[in-house]
Amino acid sequence: MKKNVLVVIFTTLCLYACQQEAVTVDTSVPKEIHDSVSIEVLKRFLTEAMGASEKAIVYNPADTMFVIEGDILISKTEAEKQYKDNVNLASAHRRRRWLVSDTWVRNIKIYMRPGTPPEWVAVTRTAIAQWNLLRGIKVKFSEVSELRWADMEIVSNVNAESPQAANAQFPSMEGKPGSSIVINLKYSYIPDAEKLTVMAHELGHTIGIAHTDLQTPGFFEQVIPGTPTADPHSVMNSMSSNWTGFTIGDKKAVQILYPNGEWVQIAGSATDIAVGAQGSVFAIGKDPVGADFGIYRQSTSGSWIKMPGSAIKITAGAGDVPWVVNSVGGIYRFNGSLWDRMPGTAKDIAAAGDGSVYMVGGAAVAGGFGIHKWNGTNWTKLPGGAVRIAAGAQGIPWIVDNTGKISFLGGNSTSWSGVSGSATDIFAGLDGSVYITGRNPVYGGYTLSRWNGTGWSSMPGTAVTLAVNPIGQPWAVNSLGEIWYQSL
C-alpha cells in the first residue's frame, strides 16, 4: 500500500496502494514469443497489462522481480509466462487472472520472519483472524512456526524512498497463493487500526483480489461479476484508513471467487424452483397433476401455498411474476389469479429482473432448439440454438446447448460469446451472478459452480436445478426433491 502526504491547512497522512499517472506511453507489445523475453519487452507488456506508466515499473535483478506502482510484485518468470500466454483481461471489485487452487486455499500457511516488529505481528494475526471469520468462503489462513512449512512469508525492511507501507505478490499460474508480503517499516508510526487495514488488504492480494477503485483495464485483471460497481470503504481500495471491517462488497467478491457457503434445507419438496426480482420463491412440486405437477409459492412464514394450475418448469422475474411451461410445451404467465396462455411452445424459459423473458423451443436447430425473446406480444427469434437458458443482470441471456457449451449474448451483440466450461443447465441472478450444474452425475444431481469472471469456481453441494435470488444467493433442488438455499 502506498503512503502519500497531502497538505491542506494541516498535514493529513494517508496510505495508497496504487496511483495512476497521467502519462502517455507507448504500450505496443511485440507478439513474437521467444524462449527468453527481454526485460524491456516485459516492461512494455506490463505497462499495457496493468495500465501503469513504464516509469512506475521497476525491475530488481537481484531478486528477479518486477515492482509495479510500488505495491504489486511479479517475478520475471511469472511475467514471461503471462506474456507468452498473452491473456487479455479487463477492469469496481476486480481480480487477477490466477486464483488460488483448492490444493492450497483451504489452509494457506503463513510464516512471519523473525525480526518483524511485535505491533506488525499482532495486526497481521488480527488480519488473519478477520479473514478466517468470513462466512461462505473456502479461504483460510494459518500461521506456522517454520519457513519450510509455509506457502507465504511475511518480511519487513525499511525503504525510505518508497511511498508504500507494504506490498504483496499475487497467485501464480500454478494456483499457489502469493508467496510474500513485504512490510515497509518506514510507516510503523501509523495507528495499529490502519496497520490492520494494510495487512488485510495485502492478504487479499495474495489470493488474487486486485484494487477495487482502479478502473483502468489491464491484461491481468477482470471485474468480479455480481459485485458493486463502487465500494468507497472496501478494504481493497487503493487508499487505506483505520480498520472498519470488510464491506458487503468485499465479502461478496471473495464468496464469488471462493464459494463455500453452508446449504440449509427447508421444508417441502420440488422438481423445479424460481426466485423473482423482489425475492418471492416459487416451486413446481412433486404432486402429479396429469403429466405435470402442482405449482406453489412460499409464504412469508416459509410454508408453501398451492397456486392454481400445473406445470413442469417455472421462472420469475420483474414484479415477481411467474411464468411456467407445462408438459406439452405450453407457456403461461400468472395474472394475479389465473394463468394466461401465451403464444408459442417451449422447452425451457427464463425471466429477468428487467422484464426480459427468453425461451428455447419450437423447431430443432443446431445446438438444440430455437432461442426467442418476448417482445410484449409475441416471440422474436434470436440466433443460435440451445437446450437451457437463463437471464441475468440487464437481461443478459446465458445458454447451454446440446453439447454442454456455455454462451452469453452481451450488450447489443447479435452473436453468442462462448465461455469456458461445460454444463447441463445454467442459472443467472439479478446481481450478475451465474451458476451451472456440471455434466457428470453425482449423488443428488450434478456438481455446482459459480462464474468468477473468467472461469467457474467449484462450490459445495449438488443439485438438478437452481434459482438465484436478487442478491446472488442460490436456491437448489436435488434429485431427491429436497429444497435448499445457500447461507452466505
Side-chain angles (χ1 to χ4, degrees):
M1 304 194 88
K2 191 176 277 186
K3 185 79 182 177
N4 281 357
V5 179
L6 175 65
V7 178
V8 186
I9 298 174
F10 53 90
T11 300
T12 303
L13 297 173
C14 299
L15 284 176
Y16 288 85
C18 196
Q19 176 181 312
Q20 290 298 118
E21 296 184 69
V23 177
T24 302
V25 295
D26 178 9
T27 59
S28 60
V29 179
K31 300 302 181 185
E32 306 83 34
I33 295 177
H34 305 286
D35 289 338
S36 180
V37 184
S38 75
I39 298 301
E40 290 308 308
V41 167
L42 290 176
K43 275 189 176 182
R44 291 199 299 273
F45 169 66
L46 293 172
T47 296
E48 180 177 299
M50 302 301 290
S53 163
E54 190 167 343
K55 292 188 299 181
I57 300 174
V58 178
Y59 179 68
N60 185 344
D63 56 8
T64 63
M65 192 76 66
F66 288 95
V67 182
I68 304 164
E69 296 282 17
D71 175 50
I72 298 170
L73 303 180
I74 182 169
S75 69
K76 180 176 182 289
T77 300
E78 177 77 359
E80 285 181 330
K81 289 178 182 178
Q82 296 275 6
Y83 170 74
K84 292 175 181 180
D85 196 38
N86 200 15
V87 180
N88 190 2
L89 300 174
S91 179
H93 280 273
R94 300 184 304 162
R95 53 158 288 184
R96 275 290 303 270
R97 172 66 179 90
W98 312 113
L99 298 177
V100 183
S101 74
D102 283 355
T103 303
W104 287 278
V105 75
R106 296 179 186 275
N107 185 17
I108 300 172
K109 297 181 287 295
I110 299 173
Y111 174 70
M112 284 189 270
R113 281 274 186 96
T116 304
E119 66 271 21
W120 283 102
V121 171
V123 297
T124 300
R125 288 173 175 161
T126 303
I128 290 169
Q130 290 295 320
W131 273 101
N132 290 343
L133 284 172
L134 292 180
R135 296 180 56 193
I137 67 171
K138 299 175 185 177
V139 179
K140 288 291 180 285
F141 295 99
S142 64
E143 184 183 350
V144 294
S145 58
E146 294 190 33
L147 179 60
R148 60 184 174 139
W149 297 329
D151 304 307
M152 175 199 315
E153 64 175 330
I154 294 177
V155 300
S156 58
N157 58 32
V158 177
N159 186 343
E161 303 301 317
S162 174
Q164 286 78 38
N167 53 47
Q169 286 189 290
F170 281 104
S172 70
M173 292 179 69
E174 291 76 25
K176 295 180 180 180
S179 61
S180 68
I181 295 174
V182 180
I183 299 167
N184 186 357
L185 299 181
K186 171 185 174 182
Y187 298 105
S188 290
Y189 61 84
I190 65 175
D192 286 353
E194 193 163 5
K195 290 187 181 81
L196 174 54
T197 302
V198 169
M199 296 311 295
H201 175 104
E202 301 303 337
L203 287 171
H205 283 331
T206 68
I207 61 171
I209 304 176
H211 294 136
T212 300
D213 58 344
L214 300 182
Q215 302 298 317
T216 305
F219 273 93
F220 291 173
E221 295 177 352
Q222 177 72 39
V223 66
I224 301 173
T227 54
T229 55
D231 194 350
H233 303 294
S234 169
V235 168
M236 297 310 299
N237 279 338
S238 59
M239 185 174 72
S240 75
S241 57
N242 286 346
W243 175 258
T244 58
F246 293 103
T247 66
I248 292 173
D250 291 329
K251 295 173 185 176
K252 190 158 191 179
V254 72
Q255 286 169 351
I256 291 167
L257 299 181
Y258 300 101
N260 197 46
E262 178 184 356
W263 288 95
V264 179
Q265 186 177 3
I266 66 170
S269 60
T271 56
D272 197 16
I273 196 160
V275 184
Q278 296 172 11
S280 296
V281 182
F282 303 87
I284 303 295
K286 295 189 71 177
D287 51 321
V289 181
D292 300 321
F293 298 94
I295 305 170
Y296 294 83
R297 178 174 183 156
Q298 190 183 46
S299 71
T300 54
S301 66
S303 61
W304 293 99
I305 301 170
K306 198 170 193 308
M307 300 174 67
S310 60
I312 59 170
K313 299 288 293 182
I314 192 164
T315 186
D320 285 358
V321 175
W323 295 60
V324 298
V325 176
N326 65 17
S327 56
V328 296
I331 304 168
Y332 294 83
R333 181 179 63 191
F334 197 59
N335 64 20
S337 56
L338 297 172
W339 295 93
D340 294 326
R341 179 68 164 92
M342 310 302 285
T345 59
K347 301 290 185 181
D348 196 19
I349 193 165
D354 70 341
S356 302
V357 182
Y358 299 87
M359 66 93 162
V360 292
V365 298
F369 299 90
I371 304 168
H372 307 264
K373 181 178 182 179
W374 181 246
N375 60 25
T377 57
N378 213 323
W379 300 97
T380 300
K381 194 171 189 310
L382 300 177
V387 292
R388 292 289 182 264
I389 194 161
Q394 292 85 49
I396 294 173
W398 291 71
I399 58 170
V400 175
D401 72 10
N402 55 13
T403 69
K405 181 181 178 182
I406 305 164
S407 305
F408 70 95
L409 191 67
N412 297 318
S413 176
T414 57
S415 60
W416 294 90
S417 300
V419 302
S420 62
S422 123
T424 54
D425 208 344
I426 194 159
F427 316 90
L430 180 65
D431 69 329
S433 55
V434 183
Y435 297 84
I436 56 171
T437 50
R439 299 281 288 177
N440 298 319
V442 294
Y443 180 79
Y446 299 93
T447 56
L448 309 177
S449 300
R450 181 171 184 165
W451 180 245
N452 61 36
T454 61
W456 301 94
S457 295
S458 62
M459 52 189 287
T462 61
V464 292
T465 190
L466 295 176
V468 187
N469 74 7
I471 61 171
Q473 188 177 36
W475 288 63
V477 174
N478 65 19
S479 59
L480 305 176
E482 296 168 341
I483 305 170
W484 300 75
Y485 70 89
Q486 192 175 44
S487 175
L488 299 177

